[in-house]
Amino acid sequence: MSPSLAQLQARLGYTFRDPTLLERAVTHPSFLQDHPAEPESNQRLEFLGDAVLQLVLTEALFTLYPTDREGALSQRRSALSNGVFLSSLARDLGLDTALKISAGEEQTGGRTRASSLEDAFEAVLGAVFLDSDLTTVRRVLLALYGPLPERLATVEPAGNPKGRLQERVQPVHGNTALRYDSTHAAGEDHNRQYESRVYLLDRLLGTGRGTSKKLAEEAAARAALAALADSDIS
């Protein structure tokens, strides 16, 4: 096994019983152009690994956020499985170094191309699954992600202050500790102003105003996030 693949195994926290699976997982389709004797690229493993990734993340998010509806869960899963995010995880693993690509692909920057790294990451997951079982690949994948609420806080849109506040509060106080009280503050029907207050249990965290309840609640959440920036959530 090459040094890059040995390092890849160490970063994965998993040692393959069948190292040829890992070799195949890092074999870009272009590599077969220069090495026609190579049995297979990583495309089939990528297909399998994508399904494994979606299942593991779906199960983890379903358990972690028991009150979230399907749409919110789907958005969270998408944030954790999009190409940009997966290619970043692939670089952290060193897949850019381990990838086997053709000379032509190398010259055009294929080793660092996000789509190639994303495919290789999913192929590695497929390889781990074939070499072990679902329990093992779940352990490997979730260890690479780390705490999902913390990951989500870095990848969910900045325009979702209520979601970010929920992520901050949930690990300590659960999913139902936040409460928003919104009232019509001022203005005529065509130019209403709303005021919202967000509470953590009975503790006032922030107050905000907006031209709709939604905007007022988002403003309150931003105020709460600012107030909590350097403080303990407990």
Side-chain angles (χ1 to χ4, degrees):
M1 179 175 288
S2 68
S4 62
L5 290 187
Q7 291 174 359
L8 178 57
Q9 285 192 129
R11 292 182 178 130
L12 273 174
Y14 179 78
T15 301
F16 278 81
R17 293 176 294 179
D18 180 2
T20 62
L21 284 170
L22 183 58
E23 290 275 0
R24 192 187 314 163
V26 299
T27 302
H28 189 270
S30 68
F31 189 78
L32 274 62
Q33 300 169 9
D34 294 347
H35 302 82
E38 192 78 16
E40 192 175 356
S41 74
N42 63 8
Q43 287 180 307
R44 282 168 49 85
L45 282 176
E46 180 268 328
F47 171 76
L48 175 62
D50 175 62
V52 171
L53 173 71
Q54 297 299 317
L55 175 59
V56 171
L57 288 179
T58 299
E59 180 190 37
L61 292 169
F62 184 86
T63 302
L64 189 59
Y65 300 102
T67 63
D68 272 11
R69 299 178 69 86
E70 178 187 358
L73 291 170
S74 295
Q75 289 177 356
R76 293 180 190 278
R77 184 180 61 191
S78 177
L80 292 171
S81 61
N82 67 61
V84 173
F85 186 74
L86 293 185
S87 63
S88 176
L89 287 180
R91 291 186 187 92
D92 291 343
L93 274 175
L95 275 171
D96 52 340
T97 302
L99 201 60
K100 296 163 63 176
I101 61 176
S102 70
E105 188 73 9
E106 182 87 66
Q107 291 174 358
T108 58
R111 184 173 297 280
T112 57
R113 189 170 292 123
S115 59
S116 300
L117 294 174
E118 175 192 359
D119 290 349
F121 182 83
E122 292 176 337
V124 167
L125 293 182
V128 173
F129 175 74
L130 288 181
D131 196 63
S132 57
D133 51 37
L134 183 58
T135 299
T136 302
V137 75
R138 181 190 295 112
R139 173 186 60 77
V140 169
L141 178 61
L142 294 181
L144 293 174
Y145 272 80
L148 292 185
E150 293 181 14
R151 281 290 191 182
L152 284 165
T154 67
V155 297
E156 284 190 309
N160 181 21
K162 292 179 67 176
R164 287 185 288 134
L165 181 60
Q166 180 71 20
E167 296 295 345
R168 181 76 191 278
V169 167
Q170 186 271 336
V172 177
H173 295 283
N175 290 308
T176 59
L178 289 175
R179 172 172 57 89
Y180 291 85
D181 285 345
S182 302
T183 58
H184 175 205
E188 302 297 331
D189 287 348
H190 66 280
N191 188 29
R192 288 191 174 187
Q193 287 289 316
Y194 290 85
E195 181 176 278
S196 180
R197 296 182 178 185
V198 58
Y199 294 86
L200 172 58
L201 302 176
D202 293 325
R203 171 187 168 193
L204 177 63
L205 291 184
T207 301
R209 287 198 172 201
T211 55
S212 68
K213 287 183 179 180
K214 179 178 181 292
L215 292 176
E217 289 179 357
E218 290 179 348
R222 289 191 190 93
L225 286 166
L228 291 173
D230 300 312
S231 64
D232 188 351
I233 196 65
S234 61

